[in-house]
């Protein structure tokens, strides 16, 4: 159960500035109903001062989406466009007294909608119909730029965090590799710019090690030998063992996971039941990946494949 601050609850039950703005100067729309979240932000701008004199929103989403959208309108009214563009999604979350990590994507949606509305006012083209190759997560309509901005603005260094802040990878999971690549590239840039400790940076295929904490060992099986000495059949046996150990927890949540294939360090799995459409499926996959890497003694990539493949 997520903990919501009093202010989130207040802005959910009594949202401010909800509705339409008929004479809006700029409109920004992000997300899509099909994704489960969508936000339309309308702003009225004084052309002389470029100050936002009014703002309204319409959203389809959870209580956090309503609270975040409402908070955004409160924050930007009275600000100039340039001042408004300096607002980050963290400012929206802070205004609300914080959001659960799993709901930070609601604040990111507000940040993106504001950029879209300002671009619309300025007559700029907002790339909502993504260029070929720029759209990374088709399930949630998330492009490379949005991942980069979320990673930079919030100092994200894990796929779990990216899933919480953007929802990318949270459904079919076929975008995992692309999102990982953007996270790795952006973290590397941040390290080069002195914005991130190199030890914290995401490295593709590496399992994060928490300093000072013992890696968890299986209660039923001894640590596996180093992978270089393992045949594919041995690897498959270890993987099946690990999945069998994890199965009760997955089934408790109404889902399951079965092994499909193994190629070098790539482990193809099929998520079934509730795991298929669960927004936290990427987190589950990360957990399986970490456990397999520990038991196989090598970095592995767990790749969910759709049914029928
Ligand atoms: S394409 Fe990203 S979760 Fe499906």
């Amino acid at each position: 159960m997520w903990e919501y601050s009093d202010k989130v609850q207040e802005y959910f039950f009594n949202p401010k500035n909800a509705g339409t703005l008929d004479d809006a100067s700029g409109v920004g729309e992000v997300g899509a109903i099909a994704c489960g979240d969508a936000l339309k932000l309308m702003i009225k701008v004084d052309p002389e001062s470029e100050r936002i004199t009014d703002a309204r929103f319409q959203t389809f989403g959870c209580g956090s989406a309503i609270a975040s959208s409402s908070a955004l309108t409160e924050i930007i009214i009275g600000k100039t466009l340039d001042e408004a563009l300096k607002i980050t999604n963290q400012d929206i979350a802070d205004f609300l007294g914080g959001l659960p990590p799993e709901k930070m994507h609601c604040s990111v949606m507000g940040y993106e909608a504001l950029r879209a509305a300002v671009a619309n006012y300025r007559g700029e083209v907002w790339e909502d119909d993504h260029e070929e190759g720029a759209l990374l997560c088709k399930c949630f309509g998330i492009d490379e730029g949005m991942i980069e901005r979320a990673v930079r603005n919030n100092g994200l260094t894990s796929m779990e965090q990216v899933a919480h802040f953007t929802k990318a990878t949270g459904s079919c999971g076929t975008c995992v590799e692309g999102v990982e690549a953007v996270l790795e590239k952006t973290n590397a840039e941040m390290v080069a710019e002195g914005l991130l400790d190199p030890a914290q940076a995401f490295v593709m295929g590496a399992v994060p090690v928490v300093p000072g904490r013992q890696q968890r060992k299986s209660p039923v099986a001894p640590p596996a030998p180093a992978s270089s000495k393992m045949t594919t059949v041995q690897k498959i046996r270890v993987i099946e063992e690990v999945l069998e150990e994890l199965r009760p927890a997955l089934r408790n949540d109404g889902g399951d996971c079965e092994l499909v294939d193994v190629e070098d360090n790539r482990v193809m799995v099929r998520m079934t039941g509730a795991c298929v459409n669960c927004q936290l499926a990427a987190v589950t996959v990360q957990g399986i990946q970490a456990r397999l890497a520990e038991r196989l003694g090598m970095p592995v990539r767990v790749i969910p494949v759709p049914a029928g493949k």
Side-chain angles (χ1 to χ4, degrees):
M1 196 61 191
W2 293 306
E3 292 280 330
Y4 291 107
S5 70
D6 291 345
K7 202 154 181 189
V8 171
Q9 295 180 49
E10 179 196 329
Y11 273 68
F12 169 53
F13 289 118
N14 299 298
K16 297 163 180 53
N17 306 314
T20 58
L21 195 57
D22 292 335
D23 51 352
S25 330
V27 178
E29 291 184 75
V30 293
I33 300 291
C35 309
D37 282 323
L39 169 61
K40 181 175 182 181
L41 175 70
M42 294 145 275
I43 56 173
K44 190 166 180 191
V45 180
D46 172 37
E48 293 293 308
S49 62
E50 285 217 317
R51 202 166 285 281
I52 298 171
T53 56
D54 204 355
R56 294 273 193 282
F57 75 93
Q58 290 179 301
T59 189
F60 180 88
C62 60
S64 302
I66 293 169
S68 295
S69 308
S70 183
L72 171 68
T73 57
E74 289 277 280
I75 294 170
I76 61 175
I77 290 173
K79 287 194 164 47
T80 65
L81 294 180
D82 287 341
E83 287 167 348
L85 285 175
K86 292 196 180 110
I87 290 162
T88 67
N89 68 286
Q90 190 61 52
D91 293 323
I92 298 170
D94 289 346
F95 180 91
L96 289 168
L99 283 169
E102 295 85 352
K103 293 291 175 184
M104 283 300 286
H105 62 266
C106 297
S107 63
V108 174
M109 191 164 65
Y111 169 80
E112 295 286 328
L114 174 61
R115 296 177 75 254
V118 174
N120 177 252
Y121 169 76
R122 289 177 169 167
E124 296 164 1
V125 178
W126 175 251
E127 293 291 349
D128 209 22
D129 54 342
H130 309 268
E131 303 262 337
E132 181 80 5
L135 183 62
L136 279 181
C137 179
K138 293 190 174 66
C139 289
F140 295 108
I142 296 166
D143 63 19
E144 189 172 333
M146 184 173 171
I147 302 278
E148 279 185 13
R149 286 190 291 276
V151 169
R152 277 187 171 275
N153 290 346
N154 300 284
L156 310 184
T157 56
S158 74
M159 288 292 284
E160 181 181 1
Q161 291 172 333
V162 172
H164 287 335
F165 278 71
T166 67
K167 293 178 83 174
T169 74
S171 185
C172 72
T174 52
C175 58
V176 166
E177 285 186 50
V179 176
E180 278 183 330
V182 174
L183 175 59
E184 185 180 48
K185 176 183 77 98
T186 310
N187 272 187
E189 288 168 1
M190 292 163 73
V191 168
E193 294 161 24
L195 301 173
L196 183 66
D197 180 346
Q200 303 292 317
F202 176 83
V203 177
M204 194 135 25
V207 176
V209 176
V210 180
R213 212 177 77 189
Q214 288 274 326
Q215 291 277 18
R216 200 149 45 125
K217 296 283 185 282
S218 162
V220 293
S227 63
S228 57
K229 296 179 191 141
M230 293 174 77
T231 65
T232 302
V233 172
Q234 286 174 318
K235 281 185 203 167
I236 289 172
R237 278 203 198 108
V238 173
I239 293 166
E240 292 282 21
E241 274 176 18
V242 170
L243 293 183
E244 200 54 45
E245 290 165 21
L246 295 173
R247 189 150 285 128
L250 295 173
R251 286 189 174 158
N252 270 351
D253 290 335
D256 208 342
C257 173
E258 63 186 49
L259 179 62
V260 174
D261 202 358
V262 179
E263 282 174 20
D264 299 323
N265 72 336
R266 291 152 53 91
V267 180
M268 272 61 80
V269 298
R270 181 172 300 119
M271 308 301 288
T272 56
C275 288
V276 176
N277 294 316
C278 174
Q279 293 178 359
L280 295 178
V283 178
T284 305
V285 169
Q286 287 277 306
I288 296 170
Q289 182 169 289
R291 181 72 74 90
L292 287 178
E294 179 187 348
R295 290 282 290 280
L296 290 166
M298 62 182 274
V300 293
R301 303 284 314 286
V302 173
I303 302 167
V305 297
K309 295 210 173 166

